[in-house]
Amino acid sequence: MNSIEIVAIGTELLLGHTTDTNGGWIGARLAAEGFTITRRTAVADDATAMQSAIRDALARAGTVICTGGLGPTTDDFTKPVVAELYGRSMVFDAAWFDVVKQRFDARGIDMPAINRNQAEVPDGATLLHNARGSAPGIILDDPHLGTTILLPGIPFEMRGLMDDHVIPYLRERLHPGPPILERWLRTNGIAESAIAERVADIVPDLAPLAVSFLPNAFGEDIRITCWGDFDRDEAERRLADAQHRIAVALEPFVYARDRNDLAAIAGDALRERGFALALAESCTGGLLAQRITNIAGASDFFLGSVVTYSNDAKMKQLSVRADTLVAHGAVSEQCAREMASGALRIFGADVALSITGVAGPNGGTDEKPVGTVWIGIATLDGVNATKLRFGGDRAEIRMRASQAALALLMRSLPQPTITA
């Protein structure tokens, strides 16, 4: 058996308190290497349930990767549970204990006694050096049971161990097949049905490549997948051709040929042109500013943002006129224009965006229902505003408004032409 199953351990995953992003990342990483992933399972912090899930996965696949439950606290007991499954005792690894202690010493912190638990490992296990945390990765192998790989649940620690140790180990042991490769297109401002109509004559010609349409709060993503039907070079050639053909069919709605955020793409466009951006946000409450400042080096093009949630703040901070608010309200073309103009002036920017709307779930009227948003854009050449209507809950409306503001910004800048 050369397939792999993934088991995520943690009651919080079942209760919805935490999303298992680790499993998705591991699956994508393994697929890109040509490994076959047959199942993902989430299981509670319960010894019986954990052993049952891992035992069943080993019986089906032969190799299991587990995440979670390697910490020092009382609810972290993956190691002894898996050790019992393999008929192993727990032993103290003095070498790893020294590694953990040295890390605390280097930070000038006394190591809590509880951290000694992280040097307790199943007898005969292979330890994987964790350069990013105090819990080592662990490999347990048995000719009858199969192989279980234990990784921390902390994402950046897990990813480091996968790249440093697990992938090389699996390459040598399982002899992977052709990789599963993907290409992406990201669109905004076009409905899923319109996309399907535009590419209807293209998709059948791309077989055996698979094309999937993935709607989200930021637009519509298109994933093109090669499921290991070709070697890497041929797969890459076919994927590139498919991506290009679909992108041309969807002009001008494609904003990325990868999975980059539109905020990062807009930031690059501003940086290349030497433009400085300012923001004035109301219903999005700083969400757009957060997306922009998530970009390393955003200070190259981003000056700042004003969150003016109340009418009083709009007047005091952005010089929105009182008679504008009385006559038209905060959710209006006039207010959006004045907010953008105010941000442009107070920050001394080259371009400014404003967002004002009704995010819900309350506050809507017949004239301005929930989801109504005005987006303003001001430059030294003038100011304009666009009215949009979004569906979804409060969070989705706010995300869609921030995305629409970025799309408006990109449309206002000179656009490159899609080329081969």
Side-chain angles (χ1 to χ4, degrees):
M1 293 181 289
N2 287 325
S3 59
I4 300 171
E5 290 198 20
I6 302 167
V7 176
I9 296 170
T11 303
E12 69 278 5
L13 301 173
L14 301 179
L15 297 179
H17 300 154
T18 303
T19 301
D20 178 27
T21 58
N22 285 340
W25 187 91
I26 293 171
R29 184 73 178 84
L30 293 174
E33 291 286 336
F35 297 108
T36 301
I37 307 95
T38 53
R39 188 175 303 203
R40 280 172 57 188
T41 305
V43 62
D45 294 309
D46 176 85
T48 301
M50 290 161 60
Q51 280 199 357
S52 175
I54 296 169
R55 184 187 297 107
D56 291 348
L58 286 168
R60 288 187 297 261
T63 302
V64 177
I65 297 176
C66 298
T67 59
L70 302 186
T73 57
T74 55
D75 61 340
D76 294 313
F77 47 84
T78 299
K79 289 184 293 184
V81 166
V82 177
E84 183 181 3
L85 176 64
Y86 275 78
R88 310 282 183 88
S89 59
M90 296 293 290
V91 297
F92 180 73
D93 190 288
W96 186 253
F97 178 80
D98 288 342
V99 171
V100 176
K101 190 173 186 310
Q102 287 169 14
R103 289 182 179 171
F104 277 93
D105 291 343
R107 296 164 58 195
I109 301 172
D110 291 333
M111 187 184 77
I114 195 173
N115 281 89
R116 189 182 190 279
N117 297 346
Q118 295 185 289
E120 297 282 346
V121 299
D123 189 22
T126 299
L127 268 60
L128 308 178
H129 182 81
N130 183 354
R132 301 157 187 83
S134 57
I138 294 171
I139 298 177
L140 280 164
D141 188 59
D142 181 271
H144 304 291
L145 275 176
T147 301
T148 299
I149 302 171
L150 307 181
L151 299 175
I154 299 172
F156 81 98
E157 293 186 28
M158 175 277 297
R159 294 175 185 180
L161 284 163
M162 282 289 298
D163 289 336
D164 294 346
H165 302 289
V166 177
I167 294 298
Y169 171 81
L170 292 174
R171 282 179 187 148
E172 182 177 346
R173 181 176 180 274
L174 295 184
H175 309 294
I180 299 172
L181 301 178
E182 298 174 336
R183 290 289 183 95
W184 291 78
L185 292 166
R186 309 201 81 175
T187 70
N188 181 261
I190 181 171
E192 182 177 12
S193 56
I195 291 175
E197 188 174 73
R198 285 184 175 224
V199 302
D201 294 334
I202 298 173
V203 171
D205 292 340
L206 303 179
L209 303 186
V211 180
S212 302
F213 305 97
L214 308 171
N216 57 74
F218 296 130
E220 188 90 19
D221 291 347
I222 300 163
R223 185 186 67 223
I224 311 163
T225 308
C226 178
W227 293 98
D229 297 289
F230 309 101
D231 63 33
R232 183 177 289 273
D233 288 345
E234 178 64 9
E236 294 281 11
R237 186 192 68 77
R238 287 177 177 250
L239 286 167
D241 175 70
Q243 184 187 51
H244 173 68
R245 291 178 63 185
I246 294 174
V248 170
L250 297 179
E251 285 186 318
F253 302 102
V254 174
Y255 69 83
R257 289 192 172 201
D258 47 34
R259 303 191 73 179
N260 281 348
D261 185 15
L262 184 54
I265 295 167
D268 287 341
L270 291 166
R271 187 184 287 112
E272 290 168 3
R273 292 159 178 79
F275 289 175
L277 173 69
L279 303 175
E281 298 185 66
S282 183
C283 67
T284 46
L287 175 60
L288 181 52
Q290 180 187 38
R291 290 181 63 186
I292 290 172
T293 54
N294 280 340
I295 303 164
S299 58
D300 293 345
F301 57 85
F302 183 53
L303 298 179
S305 175
V306 180
V307 178
T308 53
Y309 210 68
S310 70
N311 286 352
D312 188 57
K314 291 178 176 66
M315 291 186 289
K316 289 181 178 178
Q317 301 297 320
L318 296 170
S319 300
V320 174
R321 294 178 299 172
D323 58 355
T324 294
L325 296 169
V326 171
H328 305 287
V331 183
S332 65
E333 176 184 5
Q334 293 80 357
C335 183
R337 289 166 61 95
E338 291 180 27
M339 287 174 65
S341 296
L344 189 79
R345 183 185 65 258
I346 64 175
F347 285 103
D350 299 295
V351 59
L353 293 169
S354 67
I355 306 174
T356 180
V358 186
N362 303 313
T365 65
D366 290 341
E367 181 183 358
K368 301 174 184 178
V370 169
T372 302
V373 175
W374 279 95
I375 299 172
I377 183 166
T379 67
L380 298 177
D381 296 325
V383 58
N384 292 293
T386 299
K387 182 182 181 181
L388 298 164
R389 173 81 186 279
F390 301 111
D393 61 19
R394 182 178 179 82
E396 291 169 329
I397 290 168
R398 283 157 48 89
M399 287 190 289
R400 287 172 175 149
S402 71
Q403 186 80 345
L406 291 167
L408 177 60
L409 173 63
M410 292 296 293
R411 289 196 300 271
S412 302
L413 300 172
Q415 294 297 296
T417 302
I418 295 176
T419 57

